[in-house]
Amino acid sequence: LSAGCLELTGYSAAELAGAQRQQTYNAITHPDDLTQVFAVLDAAVAAHQPYVVEYRIQTKGGNERWLWEKGYGVYDELGMPTGIEGFITDITERHQLEQALLQREQYLAAVVQVQQILLDADPTIALTELYQTVLAILGEVTAATHVYMYLQTTADATLWTQQAVWHQAAGVNPTPPSPALPETLTWADWPEPWRSQLQPGTVVQTTPASAAMAATQAWLTQGQIPALFVLPLQRDGQVVGCLSFIGATMTGTSDPTANIELLRAAATAICLAAEHQRTKASLIAAEAKYRSIFENSVEGIFQSTASGAYQTVNHMLANIYGYASPADMIANLTDIEHQLYVDPQRRLKFQSLMA
């Protein structure tokens, strides 16, 4: 080993390879990578070919580093291997950049998938089912153990109701294991300073060890929550719910700020879907109210084409004209001007008044 190993590993050449060595190079190689390293070296040496391999080590200071190694076997006059010679360089920064890019692509793909699911959703599918699918996508990309979704469903802006829950064991056990959050949450349930953070739309991310106040530490500890990330759901600038990720915080990701902004895009799509559902429910209610007025009116109500065919009539009008039902009237009275009016000119006069 050259003197350069000190900078790479924190160990001097004597500590790793000398007679008084304190450690072996194999021992500081990451155990998950050691088998692969041996396989690459053995194959290359047996084939009398150079090798290239990437792996992790733990430095003397306890840090993890990614190394790139290229080398070849050294052989005696009979072609038997006697050792290897090679070059090792630190690629930790490059690997971190690659991982950051990969993670960013994963977050972006998850957000696009969430948006697509909500935009293309079959209107017959319950919104809670869509939420469940969305939480599964977001839970996996954030490496959370549980994800809870809450929304305001009443006029009380301080009361949020649980809309959906996802957890890693969802496919095996339908009952979410601990930790579990309550069916409803109010502002009073959130300890300070989280209330102050959530109200303007700021995310909350914490662990029991990093919680600044005893109240927040107790809240996490009592709930068996190892890490918490809360993303507010906003509509028209007001917080109307949240996504709570348990077992995950963005501080451990490669680019926390960018990943949070991508998750905010997913949150926006969820809020739009919820708003669409609320608008649809209002329209259905309004239509039902109109239909009730139309069907139960004591006066005849109708819609017709300019050419003189009925499109819609209520029961009262059909009854007034002596038909068994609205459908019977529409099917048989197809020329209002000549079948209904004694004086066809009255129809023309009616049309001129409506023009």
Side-chain angles (χ1 to χ4, degrees):
L1 291 174
S2 68
C5 71
L6 178 62
E7 183 178 351
L8 280 177
T9 69
Y11 294 96
S12 67
E15 289 176 307
L16 287 176
Q20 303 299 319
R21 67 184 180 189
Q22 303 173 7
Q23 190 64 279
T24 66
Y25 197 79
N26 289 345
I28 69 171
T29 301
H30 197 290
D32 291 344
D33 299 341
L34 196 57
T35 301
Q36 175 205 0
V37 172
F38 282 150
V40 170
L41 266 63
D42 288 346
V45 170
H48 289 239
Q49 295 290 326
Y51 67 88
V52 174
V53 65
E54 295 180 6
Y55 55 92
R56 291 163 290 177
I57 65 165
Q58 186 174 47
T59 67
K60 190 174 184 179
N63 299 318
E64 183 177 280
R65 281 186 179 172
W66 276 92
L67 303 182
W68 178 90
E69 180 177 335
K70 181 175 183 179
Y72 50 86
V74 177
Y75 309 89
D76 61 19
E77 62 275 7
L78 297 177
M80 299 300 294
T82 59
I84 57 172
E85 290 183 353
F87 171 78
I88 302 174
T89 189
D90 186 350
I91 59 167
T92 303
E93 185 175 349
R94 190 203 77 185
H95 192 271
Q96 289 172 342
L97 290 173
E98 289 174 349
Q99 288 300 111
L101 181 59
L102 176 61
Q103 189 176 73
R104 183 67 182 274
E105 289 175 348
Q106 290 172 338
Y107 269 76
L108 184 58
V111 171
V112 170
Q113 188 178 3
V114 166
Q115 292 173 329
Q116 203 66 47
I117 286 171
L118 294 174
L119 284 172
D120 298 341
D122 184 335
T124 62
I125 297 178
L127 201 54
T128 51
E129 187 176 336
L130 291 177
Y131 290 154
Q132 195 73 30
T133 302
V134 165
L135 294 195
I137 295 169
L138 298 180
E140 291 188 9
V141 77
T142 58
T145 59
H146 303 67
V147 186
Y148 292 83
M149 176 180 170
Y150 291 89
L151 273 179
Q152 173 191 337
T153 55
T154 67
D156 185 356
T158 67
L159 178 63
W160 300 344
T161 304
Q162 195 177 103
Q163 303 296 303
V165 181
W166 173 87
H167 55 95
Q168 286 183 344
V172 179
N173 179 5
T175 303
S178 296
L181 295 183
E183 291 288 330
T184 59
L185 280 174
T186 68
W187 278 117
D189 293 324
W190 296 103
E192 283 288 359
W194 297 349
R195 287 197 296 269
S196 300
Q197 290 178 254
L198 290 171
Q199 281 180 325
T202 304
V203 301
V204 168
Q205 47 186 337
T206 186
T207 64
S210 65
M213 300 177 64
T216 56
Q217 289 177 341
W219 199 91
L220 294 169
T221 303
Q222 290 171 6
Q224 302 178 46
I225 298 173
L228 178 68
F229 171 67
V230 184
L231 180 67
L233 296 174
Q234 294 179 284
R235 182 175 62 233
D236 300 327
Q238 299 296 316
V239 177
V240 294
C242 70
L243 296 176
S244 296
F245 299 81
I246 292 178
T249 63
M250 294 301 102
T251 53
T253 63
S254 55
D255 191 347
T257 301
N259 291 338
I260 288 173
E261 289 309 307
L262 285 172
L263 290 177
R264 283 191 187 278
T268 299
I270 291 171
C271 287
L272 288 174
E275 181 66 16
H276 175 71
Q277 183 78 352
R278 192 174 68 149
T279 302
K280 185 170 71 171
S282 298
L283 288 174
I284 290 173
E287 183 179 353
K289 183 178 180 181
Y290 165 77
R291 178 57 57 182
S292 177
I293 294 171
F294 180 80
E295 295 293 348
N296 298 306
S297 175
V298 295
E299 297 179 340
I301 303 174
F302 70 91
Q303 287 180 321
S304 70
T305 65
S307 62
Y310 281 113
Q311 292 181 307
T312 307
V313 300
N314 68 348
H315 285 279
M316 181 55 70
L317 187 64
N319 185 54
I320 290 171
Y321 287 160
Y323 288 89
S325 66
D328 180 31
M329 179 175 168
I330 291 171
N332 292 288
L333 206 167
T334 57
D335 185 350
I336 296 174
E337 182 178 345
H338 297 97
Q339 287 182 268
L340 183 64
Y341 285 88
V342 175
D343 179 4
Q345 295 300 315
R346 295 290 300 274
R347 171 68 178 176
L348 297 175
K349 184 176 181 180
F350 172 75
Q351 287 180 306
S352 66
L353 289 173
M354 297 297 293

